[in-house]
Amino acid sequence: MDDRRLVKVSKYLSRHLRHDPQRLGIELDEQGWVDVDVLLAALARQNFRLTREELDEVVERNDKRRYVIRDGRIRASQGHTVDVDLALEPVEPPAELFHGTAEGYLDAIRAEGLKAMARHDVHLSPDYATAVRVGSRRGRPVVLVVDAGRMAAEGHVFYRSENGVWLTESVPAWAIAFPD
């Protein structure tokens, strides 16, 4: 599969496995899973042809490891706006985590911290380079350093999704180091 098709399929899956499964005519279980065969049949009904081999390739080659296939089922690793419980266990975070964003959001973040918005959780990166890539999606990237150790000490709960993205309900402004 060429890279262009890989991106197209990945975005299509993201839309339906994270945000709008009913538009495709599928139903996610309470943890966000759907049978692979059910997904492929639903895609075919929408004239979006995808073989099982192509689906496996998209899951394997996605640079962000957005999807997981297990026991004949597939789900998005995180980022849902639909109501799911990923059944992740709380994990002690490293001292620092990172959040990539665009310059235009800095004033709001300084005032209110990081909020989940339409998603279930705030997404944090384990390293600076990943945060740069995430922040680049919406313009010139800015990387914020989050004092995850202090947050955890003060009772904030962290989770780590299967693809290594750190999740927490919100990040207060006091826990964010802003660039000069």
Side-chain angles (χ1 to χ4, degrees), residues 98 125-136 143:
F98 304 88
S125 301
D127 58 76
Y128 188 90
T130 301
V132 168
R133 196 169 66 243
V134 170
S136 296
V143 175

Short mmCIF file of all heavy atoms in Angstrom, two decimals, residues 98 125-136 143:
data_model
loop_
_atom_site.label_atom_id
_atom_site.label_comp_id
_atom_site.label_asym_id
_atom_site.label_seq_id
_atom_site.Cartn_x
_atom_site.Cartn_y
_atom_site.Cartn_z
N PHE A 98 5.20 16.06 27.92
CA PHE A 98 5.22 17.17 26.97
C PHE A 98 3.89 17.27 26.23
O PHE A 98 3.22 16.26 26.02
CB PHE A 98 6.36 16.96 25.97
CG PHE A 98 7.69 16.80 26.64
CD1 PHE A 98 8.14 15.55 27.04
CD2 PHE A 98 8.48 17.91 26.92
CE1 PHE A 98 9.35 15.40 27.70
CE2 PHE A 98 9.69 17.77 27.57
CZ PHE A 98 10.13 16.51 27.96
N SER A 125 2.73 13.75 25.52
CA SER A 125 3.76 12.96 24.85
C SER A 125 4.87 12.60 25.82
O SER A 125 5.20 13.39 26.71
CB SER A 125 4.35 13.75 23.68
OG SER A 125 3.35 14.09 22.75
N PRO A 126 5.49 11.44 25.61
CA PRO A 126 6.57 11.04 26.50
C PRO A 126 7.90 11.75 26.22
O PRO A 126 8.80 11.72 27.05
CB PRO A 126 6.71 9.53 26.24
CG PRO A 126 6.23 9.37 24.83
CD PRO A 126 5.15 10.41 24.65
N ASP A 127 8.00 12.39 25.04
CA ASP A 127 9.26 13.03 24.69
C ASP A 127 9.00 14.30 23.87
O ASP A 127 7.92 14.49 23.30
CB ASP A 127 10.17 12.07 23.92
CG ASP A 127 9.51 11.55 22.66
OD1 ASP A 127 9.43 12.31 21.68
OD2 ASP A 127 9.05 10.39 22.67
N TYR A 128 10.01 15.13 23.83
CA TYR A 128 9.94 16.43 23.16
C TYR A 128 9.66 16.28 21.66
O TYR A 128 8.82 16.98 21.11
CB TYR A 128 11.25 17.18 23.41
CG TYR A 128 11.23 18.61 22.94
CD1 TYR A 128 10.82 19.63 23.79
CD2 TYR A 128 11.62 18.95 21.65
CE1 TYR A 128 10.80 20.95 23.38
CE2 TYR A 128 11.60 20.26 21.22
CZ TYR A 128 11.19 21.26 22.09
OH TYR A 128 11.16 22.56 21.66
N ALA A 129 10.36 15.35 21.01
CA ALA A 129 10.23 15.20 19.55
C ALA A 129 8.80 14.83 19.15
O ALA A 129 8.27 15.35 18.16
CB ALA A 129 11.22 14.15 19.05
N THR A 130 8.18 13.95 19.90
CA THR A 130 6.79 13.58 19.60
C THR A 130 5.88 14.78 19.77
O THR A 130 4.99 15.02 18.95
CB THR A 130 6.34 12.42 20.50
OG1 THR A 130 7.21 11.31 20.29
CG2 THR A 130 4.90 12.01 20.20
N ALA A 131 6.10 15.57 20.81
CA ALA A 131 5.28 16.76 21.05
C ALA A 131 5.43 17.76 19.91
O ALA A 131 4.45 18.41 19.52
CB ALA A 131 5.64 17.39 22.39
N VAL A 132 6.62 17.89 19.36
CA VAL A 132 6.82 18.78 18.21
C VAL A 132 5.97 18.30 17.04
O VAL A 132 5.28 19.09 16.38
CB VAL A 132 8.32 18.86 17.80
CG1 VAL A 132 8.47 19.54 16.44
CG2 VAL A 132 9.12 19.59 18.86
N ARG A 133 6.00 17.02 16.77
CA ARG A 133 5.22 16.46 15.66
C ARG A 133 3.73 16.70 15.87
O ARG A 133 3.01 17.09 14.96
CB ARG A 133 5.53 14.96 15.51
CG ARG A 133 5.10 14.40 14.18
CD ARG A 133 5.64 13.01 13.92
NE ARG A 133 5.10 12.02 14.83
CZ ARG A 133 5.81 11.32 15.70
NH1 ARG A 133 7.11 11.47 15.79
NH2 ARG A 133 5.23 10.44 16.49
N VAL A 134 3.25 16.48 17.09
CA VAL A 134 1.84 16.70 17.40
C VAL A 134 1.48 18.18 17.22
O VAL A 134 0.47 18.51 16.61
CB VAL A 134 1.52 16.24 18.83
CG1 VAL A 134 0.12 16.67 19.25
CG2 VAL A 134 1.65 14.72 18.95
N GLY A 135 2.30 19.06 17.74
CA GLY A 135 2.03 20.49 17.65
C GLY A 135 2.08 21.03 16.23
O GLY A 135 1.47 22.05 15.92
N SER A 136 2.79 20.36 15.36
CA SER A 136 2.94 20.82 13.97
C SER A 136 1.68 20.67 13.14
O SER A 136 1.57 21.26 12.07
CB SER A 136 4.06 20.02 13.28
OG SER A 136 5.28 20.27 13.90
N VAL A 143 6.09 23.57 22.26
CA VAL A 143 6.09 22.43 23.17
C VAL A 143 6.06 22.94 24.60
O VAL A 143 6.88 23.75 25.01
CB VAL A 143 7.32 21.53 22.94
CG1 VAL A 143 7.36 20.41 23.98
CG2 VAL A 143 7.28 20.95 21.54
#
